[in-house]
Each structure stands twice: as structure tokens, then as C-alpha cells.
């Protein structure tokens, strides 16, 4: 049992060491992490296009978050209300790395039928951060 605990602890610390943004608490820190992982600067214009375009499936990101994610949206299938996505309009957004990863994974699978790359996440987040009050 002790050996399994040690292995699990080593894997956890190894994973955290490979993800320097794992403790990010701001959208800017998460953007820096995705950008570093992508190895290229984020492009907000590309993020906007990615967000508003359908990619072979029925939905785009804007289907639920609206083309202007400064306002509340509504889930296209369930009708559940979704708070504004842009951090300037919803300060809770992109402050929890685990939640950010959970929703990117889930929503990218709905829109792209795959997980998004770090570059795609960086581009979308960069665009969302340009939206100001």
C-alpha cells in the first residue's frame, strides 16, 4: 500500500512539474501557460474565428456562449443558462485551472469532436481577454 501511495505521489508531482501553469489563478497566467505549451504567441483574431465558426459538427462555441461572450448564453441542447464567458464580464472565469481544463475538454469535444490543442486554447483565451467593458 505504501509503495502505491509513493508512486501516486511521484506521478502527481511529476505532472505538476510538467504543467507550470497548474496553479494559475488568473486568466493571464492560464494564457501564459497555454502559450508556453504551444510554443508560439496566441492570436486573438484566430481565437475569435475558432470560437464563432462551426467545425464540421452542429455547434460552434458561440452556439451556447453567443458570438459576443460578454453576455450570458444558453446551452444549445439543455437550455441551461450560461454566465458570460469573457473574464472582464465574469471575474470567476478562468481562475481555476481544473475547471478551465474540464470545460475546454468537454466543449471542444462537442464542437470539434476532439480535444483542443494548447494553441487553440491560447487563441480563444487571448480573444476573450480582449473583450473589455
Amino acid at each position: 500500500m505504501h509503495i502505491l501511495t509513493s508512486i501516486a505521489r511521484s506521478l502527481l508531482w511529476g505532472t505538476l512539474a510538467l504543467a507550470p501553469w497548474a496553479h494559475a489563478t488568473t486568466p493571464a497566467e492560464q494564457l501564459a501557460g497555454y502559450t508556453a505549451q504551444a510554443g508560439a504567441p496566441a492570436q486573438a483574431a484566430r481565437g475569435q474565428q475558432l470560437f464563432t465558426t462551426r467545425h464540421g459538427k452542429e455547434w460552434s462555441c458561440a452556439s451556447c456562449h453567443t458570438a459576443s461572450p460578454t453576455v450570458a448564453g444558453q446551452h444549445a441542447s439543455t437550455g441551461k443558462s450560461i454566465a458570460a464567458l469573457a473574464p472582464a464580464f465574469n471575474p470567476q472565469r478562468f481562475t481555476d485551472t481544473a475547471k478551465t481544463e474540464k470545460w475546454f475538454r468537454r466543449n471542444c469535444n462537442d464542437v470539434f469532436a476532439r480535444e483542443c490543442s494548447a494553441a487553440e486554447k491560447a487563441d480563444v483565451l487571448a480573444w476573450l481577454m480582449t473583450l473589455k467593458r
Side-chain angles (χ1 to χ4, degrees):
M1 184 71 159
H2 178 67
I3 291 172
L4 292 175
T5 303
S6 295
I7 291 170
R9 189 176 302 133
S10 296
L11 288 172
L12 174 65
W13 287 112
T15 299
L16 292 176
L18 293 174
W21 71 95
H23 298 289
T25 57
T26 68
E29 289 173 330
Q30 293 201 47
L31 175 59
Y34 289 132
T35 301
Q37 189 180 21
Q43 295 184 20
R46 198 170 51 198
Q48 181 180 15
Q49 182 175 11
L50 192 76
F51 191 89
T52 56
T53 304
R54 291 183 182 168
H55 301 273
K57 292 196 76 176
E58 189 174 326
W59 297 346
S60 70
C61 303
S63 298
C64 298
H65 293 286
T66 80
S68 177
T70 59
V71 297
Q74 186 175 30
H75 192 275
S77 176
T78 66
K80 178 184 171 188
S81 180
I82 301 172
L85 187 59
F89 295 83
N90 183 347
Q92 296 302 311
R93 292 289 190 183
F94 303 101
T95 59
D96 181 320
T97 304
K99 281 186 180 178
T100 300
E101 279 300 304
K102 170 188 162 185
W103 289 110
F104 263 131
R105 182 175 43 257
R106 189 175 293 180
N107 294 339
C108 288
N109 277 321
D110 286 343
V111 173
F112 301 99
R114 61 171 173 80
E115 290 194 28
C116 288
S117 68
E120 291 167 330
K121 295 174 189 176
D123 291 345
V124 169
L125 185 51
W127 174 60
L128 292 172
M129 291 175 63
T130 67
L131 304 174
K132 304 291 182 193
R133 290 185 180 266

